């Protein structure tokens, strides 16, 4: 017999706006909880009746093998992200995630993970206006 439960909750708050027709800004924060819970019980044996209850009485003709247990994994996370671009030409993005998990090692129950990126849409510059080769040319870092 195996029973289990998965609980996944996410809360997101976001903002997006354009200023002066060229400054595009967006941001969001997110909270997340994931819980996985599982229990199991098993038994095998010789001469076991089909309706044998979970409490098994052993005898000389019944040698049961019992197994079972429970497992619980939980993760709690918070995430923040910012995006900015100027006139859809120059782009900047940054994000950070803080996560605590029961599956991390005992000495490091939480971790922080982040990243940044930048890009330049070269094809939108005036000096590329006569370009007939590229539909889109973007330098990313």
């Amino acid at each position: 017999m195996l029973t289990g439960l998965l609980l996944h909750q996410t809360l997101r708050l976001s903002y997006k706006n354009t200023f002066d027709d060229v400054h595009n800004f967006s941001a969001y924060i997110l909270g997340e909880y994931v819980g996985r819970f599982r229990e199991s019980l098993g038994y095998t044996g010789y001469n076991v009746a089909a309706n044998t209850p979970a409490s098994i009485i052993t005898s000389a003709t019944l040698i049961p093998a019992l197994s079972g247990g429970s497992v619980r994994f939980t993760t709690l996370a918070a995430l923040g992200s910012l995006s900015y671009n100027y006139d859809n030409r120059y782009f900047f993005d940054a994000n950070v995630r803080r996560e605590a998990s029961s599956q991390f090692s005992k000495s490091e129950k939480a971790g922080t993970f982040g990243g940044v990126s930048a890009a330049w849409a070269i094809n939108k510059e005036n000096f590329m206006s006569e370009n007939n080769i590229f539909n889109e040319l973007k330098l990313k870092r």
Side-chain angles (χ1 to χ4, degrees):
M1 177 175 76
L2 177 68
T3 61
L5 172 68
L6 172 65
L7 180 60
H8 187 170
Q9 294 292 318
T10 303
L11 175 65
R12 179 179 174 148
L13 178 63
S14 58
Y15 173 81
K16 185 175 183 178
N17 205 343
T18 300
F19 304 97
D20 297 330
D21 294 326
V22 292
H23 300 281
N24 302 295
F25 179 78
S26 66
Y28 68 87
I29 56 173
L30 182 134
E32 181 177 56
Y33 172 81
V34 179
R36 291 179 222 70
F37 312 94
R38 190 177 322 154
E39 293 180 342
S40 64
L41 170 66
Y43 61 87
T44 57
Y46 300 101
N47 298 325
V48 177
N51 296 332
T52 302
S55 57
I56 299 174
I57 300 171
T58 61
S59 67
T61 60
L62 176 65
I63 305 171
L66 301 174
S67 63
S70 65
V71 178
R72 177 182 175 164
F73 300 117
T74 57
T75 303
L76 183 61
L79 171 72
S81 180
L82 298 171
S83 293
Y84 170 79
N85 79 67
Y86 176 77
D87 202 21
N88 289 315
R89 282 196 254 179
Y90 311 106
F91 301 85
F92 175 77
D93 295 293
N95 61 66
V96 64
R97 180 180 179 99
R98 176 79 175 160
E99 188 168 301
S101 175
S102 63
Q103 294 180 288
F104 289 172
S105 70
K106 291 189 184 290
S107 62
E108 298 287 336
K109 281 294 185 188
T112 303
F113 314 94
V116 295
S117 67
W120 175 28
I122 302 168
N123 63 298
K124 296 201 176 177
E125 296 295 338
N126 290 336
F127 64 84
M128 292 292 288
S129 63
E130 299 297 320
N131 169 44
N132 294 324
I133 299 172
F134 301 108
N135 291 333
E136 183 174 351
L137 179 61
K138 190 180 279 187
L139 179 64
K140 296 182 179 184
R141 176 77 173 137

